[in-house]
Amino acid sequence: MARPLWKGTLTFGLVSLPVALYPATESHAVRFHQLQRGTTDRIRQRRVNERTGEEVPFEDVVKGYEIAEGQYVVVEPAELEEISPGRSRTIEISGFADLAEIDPVFFDRTYYLGPGDPGTAKVYQLLVEALGHSGRAGIAVFSMRGKEYLTAVDSVDGLLELRTMHWADELRDPHQEVADLPARRRDFHRTELATAEQLIDMLAVDWDPEDYHDSYEEQVRALVEAKAEGREIALSKGAQPAPTDLSELMDVLHRSLDEARSKAGGTPRKGSGGRAPARGARGGGGRAKAARPVRAVRTAEPARAGRPAKAAKAAAPEKDGAPGKAAAVEDLASLSKAELYRRAAALGVPHRSTMTREQLQYALRAAARPRRNLKRAS
């Protein structure tokens, strides 16, 4: 059993709950040492003065912040220790946020937050159940190992989980980072969009993490084992798929649909080709699964065990006739074009007057997704 990384108190309102923090994940990556070629001599790193080439003792190493080329502000390790947040003993929840409103990009690492005192098990379980039914996560800032963290405390499968989060100014603007990012289009032909959505539906799977594995690490281990036994194994990169030409888009989509139907036991269209669909989960196309407990889905999921679906918020009162986000993600296929247009107008969807019924559905689904508060490049 793992030892806790941290022990302290979780507080919300006037309630205090002793808790212990445990790692939720571990790495299985194959680790190598650096050796000199032709020998088994280990390569070691040393702290060396780049001007004199002499090794520097650890106690003589200080921090330097470069303000100009060759100019540094020198900071002593003791000075950093004085302003360090230290080891906080309290996770103070300042508020509870709707999980559906948190963009997954904010989440970093996940930890299990277990009870720190068996005598407070009832209080712990009360918070687990209350969070599970609310669909919210407690937002808190706390310090550990000289660093301050923004965190979200959530209820999953009968226990509390704490996820560290990125600060808002740590998110990169995709419009500055991604080269040649295309503008969002509204001029898709209705057949193109409908066929692409049909292919997505055909390839829908039930999320099961056991269906996926790290094939690269498996190959690395196989390579190491083979070399240890004096064997050689053949390595192949595989063919690189060519990008789909716009003139062939509909044909490729239809052939992908036929392939998906064939794997699902359906009948392909006459004269269809044999192009394989995009790589995805094993057994795509609706294979039967044994019943299993719902595991942690991070944000914006339809429902969790013991938790009402987010779409239930549609029953909340609407202001000035404007539907909320949950109303925009209900079954839009059953609505008339006039009703779709009314909702698009209430949400301020641009170019709605020129959209087809299918395009209005697409725009309403897009408007319901969580948005990142990023500044566009000027």
Side-chain angles (χ1 to χ4, degrees), residues 63-135:
K63 306 286 186 180
Y65 183 85
E66 190 171 26
I67 55 176
E69 188 174 356
Q71 283 187 289
Y72 294 89
V73 174
V74 177
V75 180
E76 294 285 344
E79 294 176 308
L80 291 175
E81 285 292 332
E82 290 179 3
I83 63 172
S84 169
R87 185 182 173 91
S88 170
R89 293 292 179 182
T90 304
I91 302 174
E92 184 178 355
I93 294 177
S94 59
F96 294 90
D98 193 325
L99 276 169
E101 295 178 359
I102 303 177
D103 192 313
V105 74
F106 280 98
F107 295 126
D108 186 13
R109 300 194 64 179
T110 301
Y111 298 87
Y112 297 136
L113 200 59
D117 181 352
T120 59
K122 183 176 180 180
V123 181
Y124 178 91
Q125 196 58 37
L126 175 65
L127 180 56
V128 168
E129 294 299 324
L131 280 176
H133 284 85
S134 70

Side-chain angles (χ1 to χ4, degrees), residues 166-184:
H166 295 289
W167 304 97
D169 58 4
E170 291 180 325
L171 298 191
R172 293 182 174 183
D173 186 341
H175 302 282
Q176 293 181 352
E177 302 296 329
V178 182
D180 304 319
L181 185 66
R184 295 191 63 186

Side-chain angles (χ1 to χ4, degrees), residues 255-337:
R255 283 188 284 143
S256 299
L257 273 174
D258 289 337
E259 185 73 16
R261 289 192 186 99
S262 177
K263 286 190 174 184
T267 304
R269 295 177 301 112
K270 290 184 179 180
S272 62
R275 185 182 180 92
R279 294 174 63 187
R282 302 184 213 156
R287 69 178 178 87
K289 287 178 179 275
R292 63 172 59 241
V294 177
R295 186 57 189 128
V297 177
R298 292 305 173 206
T299 62
E301 71 273 31
R304 284 188 181 163
R307 172 180 297 175
K310 301 293 181 196
K313 286 193 171 183
E318 300 174 352
K319 297 180 180 179
D320 301 323
K325 284 187 176 182
V329 295
E330 64 183 44
D331 185 13
L332 299 176
S334 63
L335 301 180
S336 66
K337 183 177 180 180

Side-chain angles (χ1 to χ4, degrees), residues 43-50 52-57 61:
I43 305 298
R44 301 290 185 180
Q45 294 182 342
R46 298 187 304 163
R47 301 178 186 86
V48 176
N49 184 312
E50 68 175 14
T52 66
E54 297 179 356
E55 189 170 357
V56 179
V61 177

Side-chain angles (χ1 to χ4, degrees), residues 9-11 90-97 113 137-143 148-153 162-165 167:
T9 304
L10 175 71
T11 67
T90 304
I91 302 174
E92 184 178 355
I93 294 177
S94 59
F96 294 90
L113 200 59
I139 306 300
V141 175
F142 89 113
S143 302
E148 198 164 51
Y149 295 91
L150 174 65
T151 66
V153 177
L162 179 144
R163 275 165 278 157
T164 58
M165 303 170 67
W167 304 97

